[in-house]
Amino acid sequence: MSDPKTSGPQANEAVTEAAIPERTPGRLFKIWDSDVAYSFRTSPVAIISGVVALAIILAALLAPWIAPTNPFDPASLNLMDGFTPPMQENAFTGNTFLLGTDNQGRDMLSAMLYGARISLFVGVSAVLLAMVLGITAGLIAGYRGGWADAVLMRIADVQLSFPSILIALLIFGVARGIIPPSQRETMAIWVLIVAIGLSDWVQFARIVRGATMVEKSKEYVQAAKVIGAHPFKILLRHILPNVMGPVLVIATIGLALAIIAEATLSFLGVGVPPTQPSLGTLIRIGQQYLFSGEWWILLFPAVMLLTLALAVNLLGDWLRDALNPRLR
Amino acid sequence: MADPLIEVRGLGRRFDVSKPWLNRVLEREERQYLTATADVNFSIARGETFALVGESGSGKSTIAKMIVGLLPPSEGQILFDGQDMGKVGTSELRALRRRFQMIFQDPFASLNPRWRVGDIVSEPLRTFGLAKGAEVTREMERLLDTVGLSARDAEKFPHEFSGGQRQRIAIARALSAKPEFIVCDEPTSALDVSVQAQILNLMRDLQDEMGLTYLFISHDLSVVRHMATRTGVLYLGRLVEVSEGKSLFRDPQHPYTKMLLDAVPDLALSGRRRTPVTGEIPNPINPPSGCPFHPRCPVAIDKCKTDVPPSFQTPNGSAACHLLG
Amino acid sequence: MTEPLLSVRDLVIEFPTRRGVLRAIDGVSFDIAPGEVLGMVGESGAGKSLTGAAIIGLLEPPGRIVSGEIKLKGERIDHLSPAAMRKIRGRRIGMVFQDPLTSLNPLYTVAKQLIETIRTHMNVSDAEARKRAVALLDRVGIPAADRRIDDYPHQFSGGMRQRVVIALALCAEPELVIADEPTTALDVSVQSQIIDLLKEICAEKGASVMLITHDMGVIAETADRVAVLYSGRIAEVGPVASVISEAEHPYTRGLMGSIPTLTHDSDRLVQIPGSMPRLNAIPPGCAFNPRCTQAFDRCRVERPFPIDRPGDRRVACWLYDEQEATHG
């Protein structure tokens, strides 16, 4: 849109308003007709990555119904099925698997669907945690300024000077020290979420702080102050909705990063236990057999991880462009 | 004045514009202050429109913000209906707040873009607990009607409106607290002239209907002349002249007022040869000594360079100029 | 009448958007005589800046000239190549914008920018160019010009910066200066200085001026003739004195009445109901008809063409059509 004065729905003052009959389009139509939706419809990259991401997410969510076997159920596993190549008959059992099996005879397809489920769950939860932490810190730092800002942002700076995977490892290590060994298996996934979430809040805090500082000097915030609205209300009801745009962009890109972080941690062996393999765990297992010729154990989960992360990332990129105020 | 609603005594505000501590230490610089306003005194009677006019850096917006409580004053007092706003307790302050509201300059920034118009207008109703349940909606719709919008506009978002309509929404929001006093900070300077006329007329009508008192802040002398019952002229944070009615424009006393009036482009095409205006407004961080206007003043005397002039009585008000003493 | 310096005929500028093509300038025609100051006045969105941008070839895409022609001394300058246009811009047409900072490069001294412009367009030595630049700065009222010429733009105050911009616009001795809201960002007391300067110096150099502004007062003080724009069409054009004191188009009349003055007392200002239509909602017939108190049936269906009026004026309004007069 070239000229901001000309875009958007038409509005005229009293006189012309009477001349032009009011049409009230439905809510669905409004969404379909919005600039963001239009930008999506006209961007092939956005559509393709959206479809791919949606397909993987749906497949992961529906894993218990569409997966051929339940890889978490030890009773269904037959060690004799191990190392069956894709689309080939197993020499001992005669079973065929679309994407082959791993060392324990798990069907790769099922393991991947269940694995993607865990990866996505960890990724989404970690991003949500990072979002809540980051938005809170960013709002406070940006709105209060002064020492609150100084303290929060110095913490953020310090954390940013370490690689986030290192932070996650550190948190993971500390948590392991605290949690009794008997609960480590069950707690592993939650520790993973906290570790990734805590290592990722800085991005949100920074962007929210910047946007808050811009918004708080705008006249609508001053108007709310003149009315005597509580600072808490000003932050949540006035400022927060106006800083959510960039947060959504960061969150989408952050989701791709969190999924990769989970995979990295699991690959390093500090993630979810092999009994409940995520994509990262599957890759770690596969990597052990790569040089002995069982390539499929590594390749298929890796491709899936890559596709998912790439699709989500491209969506994030598109969202950033679509929400760019210059183009609205 | 018989019954002042607002009284401002010795109001001053300084801003710390120093560099960060570390830079100051390394560069051996002193702390720097910007005096936005100094020793401003005026009072506004019930039902009148007191205008403050000035160029950039005159401190007019700072005064507006201090009066509505967006900025604490560095010195001086603001009395609303006889109560010192700096001394009242929180609950009394809250009750006082309802009685004054503000209209902002930029109608594109003063309305939250994510809120529906109905929510924007009814926010003061809810915050001050002036109405409940269905009453809120009814009152909000009545307010929209008062400012010349329709009730179905309540469902829309601010971006669906033109600048003039947005300013109407902002006025409806200010009115919803049922205030007695409204601070209008350049309410039409972001609008086109034909729309400006609509808004100025609306503000006049509302004043007549509701007996509102206005503090009207503007840089546009013609607009001020049209609206004000009394006018104060600000220069570099100081009130240089106050005058009743339109006498300021007929018979300006202070050399700065004269210069300002001379500088206004003349629509009447009278072909008058105006005195060429010289110089620009000095940096308020290092204001001139004595009378802040003396470096640009065509009639300055030695005293102007050293002494800040006190306020002297003039036929229709007062002016701070040594030559009038 | 002598040959006009600038002649614009039936200019149409459109912006293609996804909701259809918006016609921002619709059939604008006007002339500027040598040495003349033409004021172009209109409310925001009327298309006055766009007209200026089209003349100097700085129309921002997707905006484009669809039809019509722009002639400088009889030579077409619309649809010139960017390189050819650059030779005209600065050399034959100078520009002064609202914000002096957009016309000055903050990274170079004023001397460098002035000398570079002079040497790009004129065949003079470096020393000679500098001498001219200093003389010009002195002429536009920069005190100690020979010293201040080596300062950077940010070292000048707002008014002084606009003086530098005027010097820059005039340094290659152009035939036409396009000044787009040259005083809007300045304080009243500085504004009058800049108006006076612009008027004097252009008269001195024999340059014509196209003065674009929303401020009728500035026009009244500066221009010889004025063109009033409404919704991308010229409502009225004529000598300043007659247009201001006895406007013929109902829009101009309303506009003049709505401006508060320092001399005239009135309790209420004349107000035009409503506001200018957005580009996607320009009514059929006369664009002003829904707001016009004198509109009749013809105004609602047929667009008025510019009608010649006594005193070198033209008005696009059916009230002044012979046909209407004879029919009663």
Side-chain angles (χ1 to χ4, degrees):
Chain A
M1 302 252 104
S2 51
D3 184 352
K5 279 167 231 134
T6 62
S7 61
Q10 73 108 37
N12 289 285
E13 302 231 5
V15 172
T16 33
E17 215 163 41
I20 297 161
E22 188 91 344
R23 272 184 308 132
T24 35
R27 185 168 286 241
L28 268 178
F29 177 78
K30 269 191 176 170
I31 293 172
W32 171 254
D33 200 45
S34 70
D35 291 339
V36 174
Y38 176 79
S39 156
F40 186 83
R41 299 206 303 273
T42 49
S43 163
V45 174
I47 294 177
I48 293 170
S49 46
V51 167
V52 169
L54 195 71
I56 295 179
I57 291 168
L58 273 181
L61 286 179
L62 299 176
W65 294 277
I66 60 171
T69 61
N70 181 356
F72 294 166
D73 179 10
S76 75
L77 295 181
N78 183 352
L79 270 178
M80 298 299 281
D81 278 333
F83 301 120
T84 315
M87 306 285 283
Q88 285 181 32
E89 222 167 82
N90 185 287
F92 307 102
T93 60
N95 293 331
T96 327
F97 300 92
L98 187 64
L99 300 179
T101 60
D102 69 357
N103 57 330
Q104 298 179 53
R106 267 194 296 233
D107 171 36
M108 280 310 294
L109 179 63
S110 308
M112 279 164 59
L113 289 176
Y114 276 86
R117 209 166 132 95
I118 289 174
S119 288
L120 274 168
F121 176 72
V122 172
V124 169
S125 310
V127 166
L128 283 178
L129 177 67
M131 245 168 99
V132 170
L133 290 174
I135 289 174
T136 312
L139 281 176
I140 293 170
Y143 191 72
R144 284 299 304 270
W147 64 266
D149 181 31
V151 169
L152 283 166
M153 286 303 116
R154 285 308 81 75
I155 294 175
D157 285 345
V158 169
Q159 182 164 338
L160 263 192
S161 58
F162 294 97
S164 55
I165 202 77
L166 207 65
I167 306 272
L169 272 173
L170 185 76
I171 296 166
F172 203 86
V174 171
R176 265 183 90 83
I178 298 169
I179 296 167
S182 59
Q183 295 189 358
R184 274 184 200 155
E185 286 267 299
T186 46
M187 292 292 282
I189 198 161
W190 301 107
V191 172
L192 199 59
I193 288 168
V194 171
I196 297 172
L198 279 181
S199 69
D200 212 27
W201 66 277
V202 177
Q203 302 240 37
F204 291 96
R206 286 198 151 189
I207 203 116
V208 169
R209 169 180 175 266
T212 303
M213 287 167 78
V214 172
E215 294 298 322
K216 82 166 173 185
S217 64
K218 288 200 179 156
E219 287 177 348
Y220 73 87
V221 174
Q222 295 186 6
K225 283 186 190 167
V226 171
I227 290 166
H230 193 275
F232 199 65
K233 193 185 164 197
I234 293 179
L235 274 177
L236 287 186
R237 297 265 285 124
H238 282 283
I239 295 181
L240 184 59
N242 284 291
V243 302
M244 280 312 280
V247 168
L248 281 181
V249 175
I250 300 279
T252 317
I253 294 171
L255 176 62
L257 291 177
I259 291 169
I260 291 175
E262 183 278 326
T264 312
L265 288 173
S266 297
F267 182 82
L268 292 173
V270 296
V272 290
T275 47
Q276 289 188 338
S278 70
L279 287 177
T281 321
L282 291 176
I283 293 170
R284 175 166 62 97
I285 296 166
Q287 174 258 3
Q288 296 165 9
Y289 300 100
L290 184 61
F291 294 106
S292 53
E294 286 85 16
W295 50 270
W296 59 90
I297 307 178
L298 173 72
L299 185 72
F300 293 126
V303 166
M304 190 172 192
L305 177 75
L306 204 76
T307 315
L308 179 62
L310 186 67
V312 174
N313 220 332
L314 287 174
L315 269 183
D317 268 354
W318 159 78
L319 195 63
R320 178 170 50 206
D321 291 347
L323 293 180
N324 186 335
R326 197 179 59 81
L327 299 169
R328 270 205 288 180
Chain B
M1 191 166 297
D3 181 20
L5 183 62
I6 280 268
E7 203 177 342
V8 164
R9 288 187 199 149
L11 193 63
R13 170 76 204 189
R14 284 182 313 160
F15 291 101
D16 188 345
V17 290
S18 320
K19 290 182 179 165
W21 173 78
L22 194 61
N23 296 47
R24 274 207 316 278
V25 172
L26 292 175
E27 293 162 23
R28 290 167 205 281
E29 276 184 24
E30 296 284 303
R31 273 187 171 274
Q32 281 193 317
Y33 293 98
L34 183 152
T35 306
T37 57
D39 195 24
V40 171
N41 297 286
F42 61 80
S43 55
I44 308 175
R46 260 173 231 283
E48 83 166 336
T49 301
F50 181 69
L52 279 177
V53 64
E55 301 180 87
S56 59
S58 66
K60 49 191 194 303
S61 286
T62 308
I63 294 177
K65 283 185 181 163
M66 285 192 285
I67 289 179
V68 296
L70 285 173
L71 268 181
S74 305
E75 54 205 21
Q77 297 166 294
I78 300 164
L79 283 80
F80 187 87
D81 208 4
Q83 286 172 278
D84 187 337
M85 305 250 295
K87 295 212 177 95
V88 298
T90 15
S91 59
E92 284 125 316
L93 188 65
R94 200 175 154 75
L96 279 183
R97 268 183 190 282
R98 186 196 61 74
R99 298 170 60 190
F100 54 84
Q101 283 300 309
M102 183 159 175
I103 300 169
F104 294 87
Q105 172 175 0
D106 183 358
F108 291 84
S110 69
L111 307 177
N112 190 334
R114 306 269 166 188
W115 281 33
R116 288 178 197 277
V117 168
D119 295 329
I120 291 173
V121 173
S122 53
E123 190 188 14
L125 292 174
R126 297 179 205 275
T127 309
F128 292 116
L130 297 175
K132 278 194 186 72
E135 245 177 87
V136 174
T137 316
R138 218 176 313 127
E139 178 63 11
M140 178 265 294
E141 288 176 350
R142 192 189 62 79
L143 285 162
L144 285 178
D145 185 59
T146 309
V147 298
L149 297 168
S150 79
R152 59 166 191 235
D153 290 330
E155 281 303 303
K156 296 182 187 162
F157 285 97
H159 73 88
E160 299 177 53
F161 295 90
S162 67
Q165 287 173 312
R166 288 185 198 212
Q167 202 58 301
R168 286 173 195 268
I169 297 168
I171 292 174
R173 170 177 60 190
L175 291 178
S176 80
K178 297 193 176 55
E180 295 151 51
F181 174 63
I182 300 183
V183 174
C184 318
D185 187 4
E186 304 258 14
T188 60
S189 62
L191 305 175
D192 283 314
V193 276
S194 71
V195 180
Q196 165 174 287
Q198 297 169 8
I199 298 297
L200 293 180
N201 284 341
L202 174 67
M203 288 176 60
R204 270 269 178 98
D205 294 345
L206 293 172
Q207 183 170 39
D208 292 346
E209 276 166 42
M210 308 181 186
L212 295 168
T213 307
Y214 288 140
L215 171 61
F216 191 94
I217 288 169
S218 179
H219 69 279
D220 189 328
L221 286 154
S222 323
V223 170
V224 163
R225 182 178 177 276
H226 178 74
M227 293 297 285
T229 51
R230 222 148 50 85
T231 307
V233 182
L234 285 165
Y235 186 74
L236 272 184
R238 288 173 186 276
L239 206 50
V240 296
E241 182 166 0
V242 179
S243 188
E244 286 292 333
K246 309 216 185 297
S247 61
L248 183 90
F249 304 89
R250 209 172 40 238
D251 185 21
Q253 298 292 317
H254 196 282
Y256 175 65
T257 316
K258 290 178 187 166
M259 189 205 82
L260 206 55
L261 282 167
D262 250 5
V264 177
D266 186 6
L267 201 57
L269 295 161
S270 55
R272 75 195 148 100
R273 197 56 237 147
R274 55 182 174 211
T275 15
V277 175
T278 50
E280 290 182 38
I281 301 156
N283 186 342
I285 296 176
N286 293 308
S289 60
C291 172
F293 188 58
H294 86 259
R296 299 173 75 188
C297 184
V299 292
I301 52 175
D302 282 347
K303 202 179 175 188
C304 303
K305 290 174 191 152
T306 49
D307 300 356
V308 177
S311 207
F312 295 106
Q313 285 295 316
T314 59
N316 294 299
S318 61
C321 178
H322 287 303
L323 294 176
L324 299 167
Chain C
M1 190 172 157
T2 52
E3 194 200 3
L5 173 72
L6 182 84
S7 152
V8 174
R9 283 290 166 274
D10 300 317
L11 184 68
V12 176
I13 297 174
E14 287 182 345
F15 284 85
T17 73
R18 72 180 173 97
R19 288 193 176 85
V21 174
L22 298 177
R23 191 166 275 214
I25 297 291
D26 192 357
V28 162
S29 304
F30 60 90
D31 290 333
I32 302 180
E36 182 185 46
V37 180
L38 176 80
M40 182 141 289
V41 73
E43 300 181 70
S44 49
K48 46 192 195 305
S49 293
L50 268 183
T51 311
I55 294 169
I56 51 179
L58 289 179
L59 206 56
E60 271 185 43
R64 50 162 204 244
I65 299 178
V66 179
S67 65
E69 52 181 48
I70 301 167
K71 283 183 180 166
L72 186 65
K73 276 208 173 145
E75 170 201 346
R76 289 276 298 258
I77 58 165
D78 50 314
H79 297 118
L80 280 185
S81 70
M85 202 60 222
R86 264 199 298 278
K87 284 205 183 106
I88 290 179
R89 214 185 297 140
R91 175 70 186 92
R92 299 183 61 191
I93 304 179
M95 294 159 291
V96 179
F97 293 115
Q98 172 175 347
D99 179 5
L101 286 176
T102 57
S103 345
L104 295 171
N105 187 330
L107 297 178
Y108 295 123
T109 63
V110 165
K112 190 170 161 61
Q113 302 185 46
L114 279 168
I115 293 169
E116 195 184 286
T117 312
I118 293 174
R119 295 204 63 196
T120 311
H121 296 296
M122 299 169 115
N123 190 18
V124 291
S125 70
D126 215 49
E128 170 64 20
R130 191 183 163 89
K131 219 158 77 192
R132 281 187 189 217
V134 172
L136 201 56
L137 282 185
D138 190 52
R139 175 62 195 87
V140 297
I142 306 271
D146 54 337
R147 205 158 33 79
R148 302 239 34 204
I149 193 171
D150 290 313
D151 283 350
Y152 288 89
H154 73 262
Q155 290 168 294
F156 291 85
S157 67
M160 287 296 158
R161 236 180 259 148
Q162 198 61 298
R163 288 171 191 268
V164 173
V165 172
I166 290 175
L168 194 64
L170 286 164
C171 68
E173 302 188 341
E175 299 145 69
L176 174 68
V177 173
I178 295 183
D180 190 352
E181 304 271 8
T183 60
T184 307
L186 305 173
D187 277 312
V188 192
S189 66
V190 183
Q191 171 178 321
S192 66
Q193 301 170 25
I194 298 296
I195 294 175
D196 288 348
L197 172 69
L198 193 67
K199 207 161 79 175
E200 277 170 34
I201 196 168
C202 289
E204 216 174 275
K205 307 244 173 207
S208 301
V209 181
M210 178 172 159
L211 178 66
I212 298 166
T213 178
H214 68 281
D215 189 335
M216 259 304 190
V218 172
I219 298 266
E221 296 249 326
T222 321
D224 302 315
R225 283 194 312 136
V226 60
V228 182
L229 274 181
Y230 186 81
S231 284
R233 307 163 184 191
I234 289 186
E236 178 161 9
V237 72
V240 157
S242 49
V243 171
I244 285 181
S245 54
E246 42 201 276
E248 293 190 321
H249 197 286
Y251 171 65
T252 323
R253 239 180 286 148
L255 194 65
M256 297 309 306
S258 66
I259 305 170
T261 68
L262 283 180
T263 44
H264 186 72
D265 280 312
S266 65
D267 223 28
R268 284 178 71 82
L269 297 164
V270 178
Q271 66 178 59
I272 312 174
S275 59
M276 205 167 62
R278 295 193 183 196
L279 291 181
N280 56 4
I282 295 178
C286 174
F288 186 60
N289 84 68
R291 302 174 69 191
C292 183
T293 47
Q294 287 162 283
F296 49 98
D297 288 347
R298 191 177 180 189
C299 305
R300 293 182 192 102
V301 285
E302 198 179 341
R303 182 178 157 190
F305 54 80
I307 295 162
D308 284 320
R309 301 283 298 155
D312 193 24
R313 304 176 66 171
R314 262 185 307 143
V315 183
C317 175
W318 288 132
L319 288 173
Y320 301 95
D321 190 24
E322 300 286 327
Q323 206 186 319
E324 298 299 330
T326 49
H327 285 228

